Amino acid sequence: DEENILVMTSGGYIKRTSPSEYKKQKRGGVGVVDLNTKEEDFVTAFLKASTHDDILFFTDRGKVYQIKMYDLPEGRRSTRGKSIMNFLSVEGDEKVTSVLPLPKATRGKDVSVLMVTKNGTTKKVAAESFFDVRRNGIIAIKLAKEDTLVSADFVAKGDTSVLVTKKGQAIRFDEGNIREMGRSASGVRGIKLSKGDQV
């Protein structure tokens, strides 16, 4: 059981690396190449988790998949990793939009997952609802037609959330303003959008 770094790219490549691969640099350091991405690919998730943690993958279709950190491929800093399709049964055009580590310590704690869709719908679900996710995934949020899940993140009591739109509008609210719902619920409106705008 040790700390690892998880790196995932927009193109769906994933790997875990030992933190020792990243050396501390002084001011003016030139940085190091983390992974050799293909043209137009870029890193979308970079997080630290224990090898025994469950990792949740939320997709644009409103589904969530789960895998143990140690099941992900271990790679050197400069390697690209393997395609997420090798580890999750996601459909061809389904895209992972959020990656969250779910430590065992979260069990029994007052922690929720706040989900936000492109059309401004928000939904809060107890983190405990995602402790046992089937291999082929479960529905995390019921989406309206033409809507997609853009973000999922942990919130605890007293946290504040800010939703920002493509056209530069923003709304800030206390997490307590949204009540916790069951997994099959659709959520509530988090922000009213003007025509052609999206979160």
Side-chain angles (χ1 to χ4, degrees), residues 94-174:
E94 198 173 358
K95 268 184 97 74
V96 172
T97 55
S98 297
V99 183
L100 300 178
L102 190 64
K104 283 190 183 78
T106 319
R107 223 178 258 272
K109 294 267 173 72
D110 198 8
V111 178
S112 309
V113 174
L114 183 71
M115 289 169 267
V116 184
T117 76
K118 180 179 81 175
N119 293 343
T121 299
T122 55
K123 178 183 171 185
K124 193 168 78 172
V125 181
E128 286 192 332
S129 306
F130 303 112
F131 272 114
D132 297 306
V133 177
R134 291 192 303 269
R135 192 78 184 162
N136 57 347
I138 56 172
I139 290 177
I141 181 171
K142 206 173 178 179
L143 294 170
K145 217 176 173 182
E146 307 295 309
D147 205 359
T148 56
L149 180 64
V150 291
S151 172
D153 213 342
F154 290 125
V155 288
K157 221 174 179 65
D159 281 353
T160 298
S161 296
V162 180
L163 309 187
V164 185
T165 77
K166 195 176 178 178
K167 290 187 175 177
Q169 295 293 304
I171 187 170
R172 176 173 176 249
F173 55 87
D174 188 83

Side-chain angles (χ1 to χ4, degrees), residues 16-134:
R16 64 184 171 90
T17 315
S18 164
S20 62
E21 292 266 322
Y22 302 91
K23 63 179 192 292
K24 198 192 257 184
Q25 296 188 13
K26 292 197 166 52
R27 197 182 56 178
V30 292
V32 288
V33 172
D34 178 54
L35 76 166
N36 295 318
T37 53
K38 278 183 177 172
E39 287 266 332
E40 291 170 28
D41 200 6
F42 53 90
V43 173
T44 53
F46 185 94
L47 53 93
K48 190 167 77 167
S50 156
T51 46
H52 286 210
D53 285 350
D54 288 316
I55 309 294
L56 298 177
F57 295 86
F58 290 85
T59 73
D60 56 353
R61 298 264 185 92
K63 283 185 86 174
V64 61
Y65 299 86
Q66 186 187 60
I67 195 170
K68 286 279 187 201
M69 181 71 154
Y70 58 68
D71 284 331
L72 293 172
E74 195 167 6
R76 300 292 308 226
R77 195 191 64 231
S78 55
T79 56
R80 194 174 67 197
K82 292 208 167 96
S83 171
I84 193 72
M85 303 284 238
N86 298 330
F87 309 98
L88 306 177
S89 39
V90 290
E91 289 171 39
D93 55 348
E94 198 173 358
K95 268 184 97 74
V96 172
T97 55
S98 297
V99 183
L100 300 178
L102 190 64
K104 283 190 183 78
T106 319
R107 223 178 258 272
K109 294 267 173 72
D110 198 8
V111 178
S112 309
V113 174
L114 183 71
M115 289 169 267
V116 184
T117 76
K118 180 179 81 175
N119 293 343
T121 299
T122 55
K123 178 183 171 185
K124 193 168 78 172
V125 181
E128 286 192 332
S129 306
F130 303 112
F131 272 114
D132 297 306
V133 177
R134 291 192 303 269

